Amino acid sequence: MKLDLTGERAMTPGEREAYPHLAGRLIPGGHCLGLRVYYEDTDFSGIVYHANYLKFMERGRSDYMRLLGVVQGELFAEAAAEAPGFHFVVRSMQIDFKKPARIDDVLEVVTLSKDVAGASITLAQSVRRGEEELVSALVRVAFVSQGRAKRIPDALRRATLEDATVVAGAVAPQR
């Protein structure tokens, strides 16, 4: 198995072509990831257990960064050169649970860049079933290198700033 510089599994050659929607898709201002609710995601009452929404949103954030090139490619190499051993940590999260999801529901996790500061990125995330918003969250992730908060490398800053500009310009995500 091939690993990137942070020790994470890198995409294998041909993986994106073989599974084009596995990591979701980039949309104006961010990212959209489709997923299905499985039995293991639900509690005894048959609805999605609240903590699993956090997992769904983590997948959305991870795949968003993957498709921006953080896990591979020139963007990753440039970020690694500026901040060896970098990773992101959730600094804060505000979450609003509005409606439940149930087994076999097909959901979309939408992640939009809201703001890029010195060492953090603020993302607006929502979990939707069709047009219905089930959960919304505002998530601030900090960029950390060698155990300390660090300014986000320029390559990553440019990529996320472009998306944040689209969101600020009130461009709605396309489905």
Side-chain angles (χ1 to χ4, degrees):
M1 176 184 337
K2 184 177 177 186
L3 301 179
D4 64 26
L5 293 177
T6 65
E8 295 289 322
R9 181 187 168 284
M11 288 183 110
T12 58
E15 182 175 316
R16 185 170 296 177
E17 294 76 21
Y19 306 101
H21 302 292
L22 186 62
R25 66 188 187 282
L26 293 174
I27 58 174
H31 177 263
C32 183
L33 175 68
L35 56 89
R36 180 176 305 281
V37 175
Y38 294 102
Y39 178 77
E40 68 184 20
D41 300 319
T42 63
D43 63 16
F44 69 93
S45 67
I47 63 172
V48 171
Y49 181 64
H50 72 280
N52 286 329
Y53 290 105
L54 301 178
K55 293 178 183 181
F56 298 162
M57 289 186 283
E58 173 65 31
R59 290 177 201 164
R61 291 190 305 273
S62 295
D63 282 337
Y64 178 36
M65 292 294 116
R66 176 175 286 109
L67 292 181
L68 283 179
V70 174
V71 178
Q72 77 280 340
E74 293 175 22
L75 176 62
F76 177 80
E78 189 174 328
E82 288 183 47
F86 76 86
H87 60 279
F88 290 97
V89 296
V90 173
R91 173 72 170 95
S92 65
M93 179 182 280
Q94 298 171 334
I95 191 163
D96 188 15
F97 298 96
K98 299 173 182 182
K99 295 182 179 183
R102 293 177 173 22
I103 192 167
D104 287 330
D105 281 352
V106 174
L107 307 176
E108 288 186 327
V109 179
V110 177
T111 304
L112 301 174
S113 290
K114 296 294 282 179
D115 183 48
V116 181
S120 67
I121 300 171
T122 302
L123 302 162
Q125 290 194 279
S126 62
V127 178
R128 303 170 182 263
R129 180 179 48 229
E131 297 298 317
E132 192 175 28
E133 186 175 68
L134 307 178
V135 176
S136 65
L138 197 58
V139 183
R140 194 168 112 214
V141 293
F143 185 81
V144 176
S145 174
Q146 298 173 337
R148 302 180 66 117
K150 193 118 179 175
R151 179 178 163 79
I152 298 169
D154 291 335
L156 179 55
R157 178 178 299 283
R158 281 190 303 273
T160 51
L161 270 173
E162 287 173 14
D163 280 347
T165 302
V166 169
V167 172
V171 174
Q174 297 175 353
R175 296 184 176 258

